[in-house]
Amino acid sequence: MSVPPPPEPIMGARLLFSLDPAVSHLNHGSFGAVPIVAQRAQQRLRDEMEADPLRFFTQGLVDRITHTRRHLAGFLGADPDGTALTTNATTGVAVVLQSLGLRPGDEVLTTDHGYGAVEFSVRRECRRTGATHRVLPVPLAATDEEVVQIVRSGLRPGRTRLLVVDQLTSGTARLFPVAAIVGVAREHGVSVLVDAAHAPGMLPATVQSIGADFWVGNLHKWGYAPRGTAVLVVAPPWRTRIEPLVVSWEQDAGFPGQLEWQATMDYTAWLSAPAGLYTLRSLGVDRVRAHNAALAAYGQRVVGDALGVPPTGLPDPGGPTVAMRVIPLPAGLATTIDAARALRARIAERLAVQVAVNAFDGRGWLRLCGQVYNSPDEYERLAVRLPTLLAQR
């Protein structure tokens, strides 16, 4: 079966970024890439801050943060009064976990697709409180109905206090039916935290339509914001129970102000985040989503074909705007976290290509992303050179 043609490029989009042209950046999902307009907006804010630090931090900064929060919440379809800016999704998860008041006998349930740092945070909080952490295995090829049934069967009413589930998994690039999962959990009286690290900017679903108790998402990936920009959205019943990881001068303001004010933190990433969204909107949000998803799918087929993987062996993420795809690596390669990291570094060093490599279910997986600054020939060059590198074990 022939590989379908790549999407038409978005002309001029590559010039909006300052990426090294000598490197193929096929891993937007890890750390993103900040458009030049957002970089300059942040630098202007830093210049303002350094010109008069006392004025910057004491005259109107809280109001500027509030204005930014409302702008970002509007883009995400979230309640601004239930949205707090934070530095990344992992920090938001930690805030939720330490605000739950877990006790011995309680349980936190995750899936085996969960992000590593989130899993670390869950384990630590369970060790600290005496709660239990349990992991649900979910086959990569499971249908949405099967995923919902696995979750339904895994819930333990009266014991499971929190279910943590990814909206789009990082390591396996799988879209989960989070709205349906939230509905099932609610039937059983279980709270849900949706880890939506990759959702803002990529996925069209609004936060309110999902209905989770907690939702965390990064703007510094697919939303083009400077790094260190994320949001934690909290349902009304929980807002008075949320506590920041560090108490500072806005503690008496309650949520979300108490969570956002962290003394002398550099707030310029947050304040310049709307400039990133401006870039996305200028290119056309729907246009960018469709282009990126189609380009990632093209890259998956081209590289998969070079590695001898038939189309039926390439996982479908399950959504028309998912701009990340995974490809199974030859058996025995990158089957552990350390081996996956080593292979990623070798690909970067030898081929000048940035990709993600993850281990899942005893196998290594190559993850490719599609972004407006990428071109089809970058995936084609990787397809030509990668087999030889993988053969040099």
Side-chain angles (χ1 to χ4, degrees), residues 26 30 79 84 94 122 125 150 158 168 192 197 210 222 278 302 310 321 323 327 338-339 348 353 363 368 389:
L26 307 182
S30 284
D79 178 3
V122 170
E125 190 64 17
I150 289 170
L168 177 62
V192 181
I210 295 170
W222 306 92
Y278 172 81
V302 168
T321 65
I327 303 160
D338 289 343
V353 178
R363 185 157 195 174
L368 298 175
L389 182 142

Side-chain angles (χ1 to χ4, degrees), residues 47 57 76 93 149 181 229 251-252 256 307:
D47 291 343
F57 282 98
L76 298 170
V93 169
Q149 184 55 43
I181 291 172
T229 305
Q251 178 67 14
D252 292 341
L307 296 181

Side-chain angles (χ1 to χ4, degrees), residues 152-242:
R152 186 192 304 273
S153 301
L155 296 173
R156 296 175 179 174
R159 181 170 181 180
T160 307
R161 286 285 309 283
L162 182 71
L163 167 65
V164 183
V165 62
D166 295 69
Q167 188 167 350
L168 177 62
T169 64
S170 178
T172 54
R174 170 63 198 270
L175 189 66
F176 275 9
V178 288
I181 291 172
V182 168
V184 167
R186 182 169 290 115
E187 293 173 3
H188 292 76
V190 175
S191 300
V192 181
L193 166 58
V194 173
D195 180 355
H198 291 274
M202 186 205 293
L203 304 180
T206 63
V207 176
Q208 288 186 322
S209 70
I210 295 170
D213 300 89
F214 314 99
W215 185 98
V216 291
N218 293 323
L219 272 297
H220 55 238
K221 293 180 184 283
W222 306 92
Y224 295 161
R227 292 169 198 88
T229 305
V231 295
L232 167 63
V233 184
V234 178
W238 287 98
R239 292 173 189 173
T240 59
R241 299 171 61 178
I242 293 294

Side-chain angles (χ1 to χ4, degrees), residues 203-392:
L203 304 180
T206 63
V207 176
Q208 288 186 322
S209 70
I210 295 170
D213 300 89
F214 314 99
W215 185 98
V216 291
N218 293 323
L219 272 297
H220 55 238
K221 293 180 184 283
W222 306 92
Y224 295 161
R227 292 169 198 88
T229 305
V231 295
L232 167 63
V233 184
V234 178
W238 287 98
R239 292 173 189 173
T240 59
R241 299 171 61 178
I242 293 294
E243 291 288 347
L245 299 178
V246 177
V247 174
S248 194
W249 285 103
E250 288 295 307
Q251 178 67 14
D252 292 341
F255 183 88
Q258 66 180 176
L259 199 66
E260 293 172 333
W261 187 260
Q262 294 293 300
T264 51
M265 189 182 81
D266 186 346
Y267 299 94
T268 60
W270 296 357
L271 299 181
S272 50
L277 288 185
Y278 172 81
T279 301
L280 180 59
R281 288 179 168 129
S282 297
L283 293 171
V285 178
D286 292 339
R287 182 188 183 197
V288 168
R289 286 170 173 163
H291 168 274
N292 292 349
L295 190 57
Y298 175 78
Q300 182 193 43
R301 286 290 300 274
V302 168
V303 177
D305 184 63
L307 296 181
V309 182
T312 55
L314 297 173
D316 182 349
T321 65
V322 176
M324 301 195 303
R325 296 274 181 149
V326 294
I327 303 160
L329 292 169
L333 280 180
T335 58
T336 66
I337 293 177
D338 289 343
R341 288 173 175 170
L343 179 56
R344 178 192 59 76
R346 192 152 61 97
I347 293 172
E349 179 182 357
R350 302 275 185 88
L351 306 184
V353 178
Q354 293 292 357
V355 297
V357 181
N358 297 293
F360 175 77
D361 197 25
R363 185 157 195 174
W365 298 83
L366 179 78
R367 191 190 74 187
L368 298 175
C369 299
Q371 189 48 265
V372 296
Y373 52 73
N374 293 131
S375 59
D377 64 284
E378 293 180 293
Y379 305 91
E380 295 160 5
R381 290 197 302 269
L382 176 63
V384 170
R385 302 176 65 193
L386 182 62
T388 300
L389 182 142
L390 295 182
Q392 299 170 350

Side-chain angles (χ1 to χ4, degrees), residues 15-61:
L15 300 176
L16 300 176
F17 298 84
S18 56
L19 294 164
D20 183 354
V23 177
S24 291
H25 301 272
L26 307 182
N27 187 20
H28 186 88
S30 284
F31 295 99
V34 184
I36 294 171
V37 64
Q39 294 180 42
R40 290 176 176 171
Q42 184 176 20
Q43 188 57 54
R44 287 193 296 270
L45 286 163
R46 283 176 170 159
D47 291 343
E48 177 190 346
M49 177 174 61
E50 297 306 331
D52 193 338
L54 189 62
R55 178 184 177 87
F56 181 86
F57 282 98
T58 62
Q59 297 187 27
L61 181 54

Side-chain angles (χ1 to χ4, degrees), residues 93 109-124 133-135 164 166:
V93 169
L109 187 63
T110 64
T111 78
D112 58 350
H113 294 255
Y115 186 60
V118 171
E119 294 291 302
F120 292 151
S121 189
V122 170
R123 292 174 197 167
R124 185 185 70 171
H133 174 214
R134 188 160 55 92
V135 180
V164 183
D166 295 69

